[in-house]
Amino acid sequence: MLVDLFPFYQKLMSPAFLDAIALAHRPDMDVLFLRWPQPVYALKPREVYTQVLDLAQETNARYWLFDIRSRGPLSEKDMKWVKQVFYPTLHNQIDRLIYVAYLLTPGHAEDEVTMAHADELRQKEWYGQAVEFEGFTSEVDALQWLKRCQLVEVVK
């Protein structure tokens, strides 16, 4: 899909491609997109998340959509890094709340381990201060949630 729309994306986004991912910001939607069309072993998740952070800082993007349907599970080491380093230090990097919509396969969304990780992260002190996230199996639903988050911010 991204390949078919590439001329459109080139006009509206500032793409940064790192081997197996497509990372871009859509200023018209104020959404940073991370599309991970290959399994995680194709490159290191830390490199990807560093690229996300760099683009977010460059564009002031606070609304992110991570399409991880083809990524596969993170290793225990990488999951630990996301939990203990990436999300907890995000507020120091971007001094505003970040909203992340994760696009998941139905099986991944219903996976007990995935749900347990999400519940654990929602209990951390930084959740709601540095980041909020939700999982979705529909891109339309994910984008609608991000839009609602944007509208709530405008009303505040």
Side-chain angles (χ1 to χ4, degrees):
M1 181 176 151
L2 184 61
V3 174
D4 297 338
L5 298 174
F6 191 69
F8 171 74
Y9 277 85
Q10 267 186 321
K11 286 183 185 175
L12 294 177
M13 298 186 196
S14 49
F17 294 96
L18 180 63
D19 295 336
I21 66 157
L23 176 61
H25 178 245
R26 287 261 323 249
D28 61 319
M29 297 174 74
D30 193 21
V31 174
L32 184 149
F33 288 85
L34 168 61
R35 300 210 184 265
W36 207 312
Q38 297 181 26
V40 73
Y41 59 80
L43 56 103
K44 294 181 175 111
R46 293 178 197 200
E47 294 173 5
V48 173
Y49 284 105
T50 299
Q51 289 289 319
V52 167
L53 185 56
D54 289 347
L55 184 57
Q57 289 173 318
E58 179 184 317
T59 62
N60 294 316
R62 298 180 40 234
Y63 307 95
W64 302 353
L65 187 139
F66 287 4
D67 182 350
I68 60 171
R69 293 174 292 185
S70 297
R71 183 195 72 189
L74 291 177
S75 70
E76 196 59 40
K77 182 179 177 181
D78 288 328
M79 180 55 78
K80 185 176 179 181
W81 178 82
V82 168
K83 290 180 189 178
Q84 295 179 355
V85 177
F86 183 73
Y87 279 136
T89 62
L90 196 55
H91 191 67
N92 295 335
Q93 305 294 320
I94 299 175
D95 192 22
R96 296 173 65 193
L97 188 58
I98 302 297
Y99 298 90
V100 184
Y102 283 95
L103 193 52
L104 311 166
T105 64
H108 193 193
E110 296 172 8
D111 177 64
E112 290 181 20
V113 173
T114 300
M115 291 188 296
H117 280 300
D119 289 343
E120 177 188 344
L121 292 175
R122 286 186 178 101
Q123 301 306 310
K124 301 290 186 184
E125 64 281 349
W126 46 261
Y127 187 82
Q129 303 296 316
V131 67
E132 287 186 16
F133 55 81
E134 289 294 331
F136 301 91
T137 57
S138 158
E139 186 162 343
V140 170
D141 292 343
L143 290 171
Q144 286 176 343
W145 179 76
L146 289 170
K147 180 52 94 180
R148 282 193 303 274
C149 293
Q150 291 170 347
L151 292 174
V152 167
E153 291 279 311
V154 170
V155 172
K156 286 184 181 178

